[in-house]
Amino acid sequence: MPELPEVEILARHLRPLLHGRTIRAVEIRRPEVLEPTSAAHFKRRLRGAKFLSLRRRGKYLLFELRQRGSRVPFTLLGHLGMTGRMFLAPKQADRPKHAAVILQLGARDFIYDDPRYFGRLTLDTSPVKRLGPEPLEDSFTPELLARELKRSRQAIKVKLLDQSLVAGIGNIYASEALFRAGLSPRRASNRLTRAQVAKLWRAIREVLASAIECGSTIPLNFSVHASGGLFYYGSALGSEDSYNERLRVYDRHGQPCWRCRTPLKRIVQAARSTFFCPRCQKT
Ligand SMILES: [Zn+2]
């Protein structure tokens, strides 16, 4: 499932391609991805509208558009869910089998494709209102993180997935940040010391920033649809898992720890897999 870095890279890729484009026609094949917006309302709002800007918030894409003759912009919210892809394709190109929504922009079409239809392309922006701070922005401070963690007895790995604590972290980067900080994923959030919170705060920013940096160098390849993979919407030529190589613990159970060579472990917390080193992450 794409997390903050993958969505950030997608936003950077789509931004210049969409800027200034007008939606000429709207094709809806799976109206459930628009929910709670109705297909009729979605079409009415989007047909004739122009893309002004695109930004990311947490794991969401926020497209800003303006209707012809109107001075008030409105926002379209995109979420890739588990398997969604959003990309531009030439007008004549074959449509992917699971295309859910197609926005015709002239020579090219914007396609939202999703085999499982867990993602969203909707005019309902309410999910964004519940998000915590952006981890790479100044508003996310060690003090803020410490204050929030003090109020929770949840295991720190589970707590990091709470989007109201900090936006955009999912299963992959929660495991990676805890490894980098040397913290046990089972540790109760309110039992972390000030020094441990500071380490975790730094580790979160480092893993996300380096994933964005690394992902920015990988050309997006929309023909790749690997299951469970990262950057399933793109991979480096000739090396399927070049990005995976950058991850130190995620999906590496049984392999030796990058730091101490102890075999990495996998446990299940809140129905999600956690990967960690039993030796480097004892406390
Ligand atoms: Zn280790």
Side-chain angles (χ1 to χ4, degrees):
M1 182 167 171
E3 302 182 21
L4 184 153
E6 293 81 20
V7 180
E8 175 63 29
I9 287 157
L10 182 60
R12 291 180 187 183
H13 169 76
L14 290 176
R15 195 175 292 139
L17 299 175
L18 290 174
H19 182 78
R21 301 267 164 226
T22 297
I23 300 171
R24 301 186 181 186
V26 178
E27 205 180 310
I28 298 164
R29 297 190 176 180
R30 300 294 300 223
E32 64 264 43
V33 303
L34 312 175
E35 282 171 11
T37 305
S38 73
H41 181 62
F42 188 89
K43 278 191 175 170
R44 207 163 45 235
R45 215 62 218 284
L46 265 71
R47 200 186 299 134
K50 184 191 263 192
F51 281 99
L52 302 179
S53 65
L54 167 59
R55 63 191 182 91
R56 178 197 55 75
R57 177 81 171 93
K59 302 175 197 170
Y60 296 95
L61 293 165
L62 297 170
F63 303 89
E64 198 189 32
L65 295 114
R66 194 170 52 212
Q67 193 50 255
R68 237 189 329 237
S70 164
R71 296 180 60 173
V72 189
F74 64 95
T75 304
L76 176 67
L77 176 143
H79 190 267
L80 297 171
M82 305 279 284
T83 52
R85 299 184 301 164
M86 292 183 189
F87 57 96
L88 273 83
K91 197 179 174 55
Q92 310 319 339
D94 286 345
R95 301 285 195 242
K97 196 164 124 209
H98 301 286
V101 179
I102 298 162
L103 305 176
Q104 295 180 18
L105 307 174
R108 295 215 264 184
D109 295 335
F110 170 89
I111 296 174
Y112 164 40
D113 163 67
D114 193 347
R116 291 167 77 174
Y117 309 110
F118 286 157
R120 280 286 176 280
L121 195 62
T122 177
L123 293 166
D124 172 30
T125 57
S126 60
V128 169
K129 296 185 181 86
R130 296 188 285 269
L131 295 177
E134 277 294 319
L136 295 173
E137 286 179 8
D138 294 342
S139 55
F140 180 61
T141 61
E143 293 73 29
L144 177 78
L145 182 61
R147 200 161 58 232
E148 293 297 318
L149 292 180
K150 272 282 167 265
R151 294 163 47 184
S152 172
R153 290 203 297 232
Q154 268 186 319
I156 185 63
K157 157 68 192 331
V158 178
K159 187 65 187 168
L160 285 176
L161 304 180
D162 177 353
Q163 300 299 298
S164 68
L165 172 74
V166 51
I169 298 177
N171 216 31
I172 297 163
Y173 297 103
S175 282
E176 292 295 313
L178 288 169
F179 174 74
R180 200 178 275 240
L183 291 171
S184 165
R186 297 189 179 103
R187 184 75 181 257
S189 300
N190 59 1
R191 302 277 312 280
L192 264 69
T193 65
R194 264 300 167 109
Q196 286 173 324
V197 173
K199 258 190 181 174
L200 178 60
W201 173 82
R202 188 181 311 272
I204 288 170
R205 291 167 69 107
E206 283 172 0
V207 291
L208 296 174
S210 82
I212 292 171
E213 195 187 329
C214 171
S216 306
T217 66
I218 296 174
L220 298 185
N221 174 0
F222 300 107
S223 64
V224 176
H225 225 322
S227 63
L230 309 155
F231 282 94
Y232 49 85
Y233 51 82
S235 74
L237 282 172
S239 57
E240 284 288 287
D241 62 352
S242 65
Y243 183 72
N244 282 313
E245 293 299 318
R246 299 295 292 254
L247 298 175
R248 306 243 161 108
V249 287
Y250 184 79
D251 210 17
R252 288 180 171 276
H253 51 297
Q255 295 181 34
C257 169
W258 177 83
R259 209 176 273 151
C260 76
R261 315 306 293 170
T262 303
L264 298 173
K265 273 189 139 172
R266 185 185 84 95
I267 54 171
V268 175
Q269 293 179 290
R272 312 283 304 274
S273 289
T274 300
F275 303 90
F276 69 108
C277 172
R279 190 162 163 206
C280 295
Q281 295 174 257
K282 265 191 182 141
T283 56

